[in-house]
Amino acid sequence: MKNRIRKQVESFRVTPNLLDYTATCREFSWQAARRGLQGLPEGGGLNMAHEAVDRHANGPRAAHTALRWLGKAGAREHYSYRDLAAETSRFANALGALGVESGERVFLLLGRVPELYFAMLGALKARCVVTPLFSAFGPEPVATRMQIGAARVLVTTETLYRRKVAPVREQLPALEHVILVDRDASIEETALAPGLVPWPRLVGRASPEYVIEPTDPETPALLHFTSGTTGRPKGAVHVHEAIVTHHVTGRYALDLHDQDIFWCTADPGWVTGTSYGVLAPLSCGVTVVVVEAEYDPATWYGVLQDEAVSVWYTAPTAVRMMMRAGLEMLADYRFPSLRFVASVGEPLNAEAVVWGESAFGCPIHDNWWQTETGGIMISNFAGLDIKPGSMGRPLPGVEAAIVRREADGGVAVADEPDVEGELALRSGWPSMMRAYLDEDERYRKCFAGDWYLSGDLARQDAEGYFWFLGRADDVIKSSGHLVGPFEVESALMEHPAVVEAAVIGVPDETAGQLIKAFVTLHQGHAPDEAMRRNLLGHARKRLGPAVAPKFIEFRDQLPKTRSGKVLRRLLRARELGLPEGDLSTLETDSR
Ligand code: ATP
Ligand code: MG
């Protein structure tokens, strides 16, 4: 495995926005970054939708395509920045017509249709607080989130409403208005229950002119729920000022340039799909490709090729599914426009980083952040060498460190390289969450003095690159060693038969915990005793006997959240016969 992918200035097709990392970090300030945005006229503050939409609609990029929508059934729609300004203004006016005021909560339960984007940005114009929910959630997760968020308005479709909201309607006393988006339009004439109103009748007829009122940058803008990987999902509150981080990371971490065609595969129901599927790329004025269909390798390769995507942001789970589908599938596709690929959400094993080169002609640039951080914090930048398996280096303006929590509630900051500990960020970046909704105590516990504590374990090497070890909750203590699951999982994934692996600790009287791995295999490999021995031997050779797993169990699939994260806590709970906990975000499962 390569331990470094060198970047050479001569080989860049487009000069990266961030080339001199040290100088940029030295000179960077958030105040200066803020000046890269426009702000509302006459000192009216900062509004996300103004920066993402109206600013461009009133300038030289007005006719540039903002959204290129590819519908499931083959439909295509294009919206310029000028169009997007009009559609989002209609939605903001529609909220006004319903009497919805600034600060009230607007929930979106929609597939990736254009109205999702109009409603999100329109509600931001009206200074409402927006929560996009993943449309594949069942009624319970929808109800819980809408209750926590005290949703007053919901935008959804008739089918989604009938299946997911109607059954729990009486648990939602705050909900007053339901706007139904039905693209076949027949609903407009249908008689609907009180409180239900069809989009065409309400939004379609609203004025396309709207003046955003002054917006204090500290005004809440988004309420995003975490993935629920470690327990009950938390509602993180973000403010309009977060757009400064979105913009800077769009330029630096995703390396967006004016002519880019950008595709983020995440659904806006997860923070990635909002920060990077909507806000960051639009704030940079590029064209965003929106794909309504779910993952399927042929569809995805077709989009990359046919839409001439130049910058692509995806997730490790998807990359591993593509690896499983095999390189042969790629033989019919060409990606001459693609120049930068990035990934987030889970650790990206070195194997997958390098696979990107053979599949797409670009390595995959891992980056790290969380719902709570609102934007990318640590990243492999386009202009810097990649160390495969590392998350990269901190964004200019972000101070990251490895810390150890002390008994008195403070932290000790590691002052030399390669110390393992908790990844912490110096608070104060614009997209830092401002609260966990209704959970003040939980929020306070995320901070020690100036430091935000991420709950993830990592180390930083002498060159400043961060390496993920695992979530603090998933770390295994075996015979006096602290073992991060990612190291063991990565070693297993290096074996050609292995697609994915998840590692947990099982109690043992002598060792404290022993390591057990759950493994999925590539097609054509039998999950038999010979394979089990083969993998145990491979792991022992790679990791040494102390850290290698003692047990291996084969699975067709690993349990994952709907955002693609492995639920090690569920594997652990089942292994130990403990309660399974909150499973509202569980996607795939097989015992
Ligand atoms: P919950 O907080 O509810 O348990 P979650 O932490 O999975 O869920 P998210 O905010 O969606 O919810 O995910 C952030 C987490 O994802 C990070 O804290 C980290 O554990 C993991 N993660 C994100 N990017 C990376 C990466 N590049 N490498 C390793 N882990 C990553
Ligand atoms: Mg988390």
Side-chain angles (χ1 to χ4, degrees):
M1 184 55 50
K2 292 184 195 177
N3 53 21
R4 184 183 283 268
I5 297 176
R6 290 205 179 275
K7 299 287 185 66
Q8 263 134 8
V9 177
E10 320 75 75
S11 67
F12 293 128
R13 275 191 271 164
V14 176
T15 308
N17 291 323
L18 179 60
L19 208 48
D20 187 340
Y21 178 77
T22 314
T24 310
C25 288
R26 196 176 50 234
E27 286 151 23
F28 186 91
S29 81
W30 287 111
Q31 288 80 352
R34 167 93 182 265
R35 289 195 289 274
L37 294 170
Q38 192 175 51
L40 289 169
E42 294 161 31
L46 190 68
N47 184 294
M48 286 181 165
H50 174 81
E51 302 306 328
V53 186
D54 288 7
R55 169 163 78 109
H56 306 300
N58 298 327
R61 295 182 81 69
H64 193 75
T65 302
L67 292 184
R68 189 189 286 174
W69 179 68
L70 313 180
K72 267 186 205 154
R76 297 175 66 88
E77 290 174 17
H78 292 211
Y79 299 90
S80 66
Y81 278 94
R82 188 183 292 124
D83 299 334
L84 192 58
E87 299 300 337
T88 52
S89 287
R90 283 186 209 282
F91 189 81
N93 282 320
L95 289 178
L98 293 175
V100 176
E101 293 183 5
S102 146
E104 294 193 300
R105 314 269 166 68
V106 176
F107 274 58
L108 313 173
L109 180 69
L110 286 172
R112 289 179 295 278
V113 293
E115 287 80 358
L116 168 63
Y117 299 79
F118 304 159
M120 181 192 296
L121 293 158
L124 291 172
K125 283 187 169 180
R127 298 168 302 142
C128 290
V129 184
V130 188
T131 301
L133 289 179
F134 190 46
S135 63
F137 275 150
E140 264 326 299
V142 168
T144 323
R145 286 163 181 72
M146 288 180 63
Q147 272 163 355
I148 299 178
R152 180 156 183 227
V153 179
L154 171 70
V155 186
T156 187
T157 65
E158 214 218 333
T159 317
L160 288 170
Y161 182 79
R162 196 164 12 85
R163 290 201 194 135
K164 307 189 174 190
V165 185
V168 292
R169 184 69 183 80
E170 63 290 359
Q171 297 172 35
L172 306 169
L175 182 62
E176 260 183 73
H177 307 286
V178 180
I179 303 173
L180 296 176
V181 174
D182 279 83
R183 305 207 105 228
D184 59 17
S186 58
I187 191 173
E188 185 169 9
E189 309 314 324
T190 321
L192 292 168
L196 303 187
V197 50
W199 177 287
R201 198 188 296 164
L202 177 74
V203 187
R205 292 178 194 167
S207 160
E209 306 289 336
Y210 183 89
V211 178
I212 301 176
E213 292 199 19
T215 310
D216 183 320
E218 285 299 311
T219 309
L222 293 155
L223 168 66
H224 266 298
F225 289 90
T226 59
S227 291
T229 314
T230 52
R232 189 163 49 85
K234 298 149 272 192
V237 177
H238 290 286
V239 298
H240 280 270
E241 199 192 9
I243 193 76
V244 182
T245 309
H246 299 146
H247 185 72
V248 167
T249 49
R251 290 272 182 235
Y252 284 165
L254 298 176
D255 196 39
L256 292 172
H257 288 68
D258 282 0
Q259 293 312 313
D260 276 320
I261 308 285
F262 173 72
W263 179 28
C264 168
T265 59
D267 187 273
W270 310 110
V271 72
T272 306
T274 293
S275 293
Y276 296 99
V278 188
L279 297 167
L282 294 178
S283 84
C284 293
V286 305
T287 296
V288 177
V289 175
V290 175
V291 179
E292 188 187 14
E294 292 305 326
Y295 169 81
D296 161 70
T299 310
W300 279 27
Y301 297 152
V303 171
L304 287 172
Q305 170 181 278
D306 301 342
E307 305 305 321
V309 171
S310 56
V311 178
W312 188 37
Y313 198 21
T314 189
T317 305
V319 174
R320 289 193 281 267
M321 287 198 280
M322 289 183 273
M323 291 170 79
R324 191 176 203 174
L327 278 178
E328 310 75 55
M329 266 212 76
L330 279 152
D332 298 336
Y333 299 92
R334 296 287 173 273
F335 312 106
S337 306
L338 193 59
R339 65 170 179 84
F340 187 74
V341 182
S343 139
V344 71
E346 277 255 292
L348 187 70
N349 47 314
E351 211 73 26
V353 173
V354 176
W355 182 82
E357 287 189 310
S358 37
F360 307 111
C362 333
I364 300 178
H365 295 74
D366 188 18
N367 56 54
W368 175 93
W369 58 292
Q370 311 177 301
T371 307
E372 290 86 342
T373 72
I376 298 169
M377 297 283 109
I378 294 182
S379 182
N380 283 283
F381 297 96
L384 303 190
D385 288 358
I386 299 179
K387 296 192 186 183
S390 154
M391 308 189 286
R393 299 168 76 177
L395 181 76
V398 167
E399 189 187 343
I402 300 297
V403 305
R404 197 184 58 233
R405 297 193 193 211
E406 307 263 78
D408 65 0
V411 292
V413 178
D415 51 8
E416 49 185 70
D418 291 318
V419 175
E420 299 187 348
E422 185 163 1
L423 174 54
L425 305 167
R426 174 92 66 190
S427 29
W429 70 96
S431 65
M432 189 177 87
M433 66 163 168
R434 299 299 196 266
Y436 280 139
L437 194 68
D438 299 336
E439 295 192 273
D440 293 346
E441 185 55 26
R442 211 171 177 186
Y443 179 75
R444 265 196 300 278
K445 283 195 178 139
C446 297
F447 297 89
D450 248 10
W451 293 100
Y452 164 72
L453 306 169
S454 72
D456 284 345
L457 301 182
R459 72 182 167 82
Q460 186 179 25
D461 70 19
E463 280 182 88
Y465 284 71
F466 281 85
W467 299 78
F468 185 78
L469 299 170
R471 293 165 184 269
D473 290 8
D474 291 336
V475 161
I476 302 161
K477 297 182 188 76
S478 188
S479 308
H481 300 274
L482 276 186
V483 183
F486 178 47
E487 185 188 7
V488 182
E489 292 162 4
S490 288
L492 286 166
M493 286 187 272
E494 274 175 29
H495 190 284
V498 175
V499 181
E500 283 192 302
V503 162
I504 62 167
V506 291
D508 178 80
E509 265 179 28
T510 20
Q513 285 185 306
L514 291 175
I515 299 174
K516 172 162 184 177
F518 297 83
V519 167
T520 65
L521 296 177
H522 280 289
Q523 280 151 18
H525 295 278
D528 55 18
E529 186 53 26
M531 177 61 76
R532 212 177 55 80
R533 281 175 196 282
N534 182 330
L535 291 183
L536 287 171
H538 163 86
R540 246 192 318 272
K541 210 155 58 209
R542 284 283 292 99
L543 298 163
V547 177
K550 296 286 178 293
F551 313 105
I552 288 187
E553 189 173 315
F554 295 108
R555 289 288 169 96
D556 290 338
Q557 283 180 324
L558 298 177
K560 286 190 186 153
T561 66
R562 291 185 179 278
S563 54
K565 294 163 193 285
V566 176
L567 277 162
R568 291 174 194 80
R569 72 173 159 96
L570 183 57
L571 290 168
R572 217 161 34 226
R574 287 178 178 166
E575 186 70 26
L576 308 181
L578 298 172
E580 295 189 344
D582 183 297
L583 295 184
S584 61
T585 60
L586 179 65
E587 156 97 78
T588 51
D589 196 14
S590 76
R591 290 178 192 232

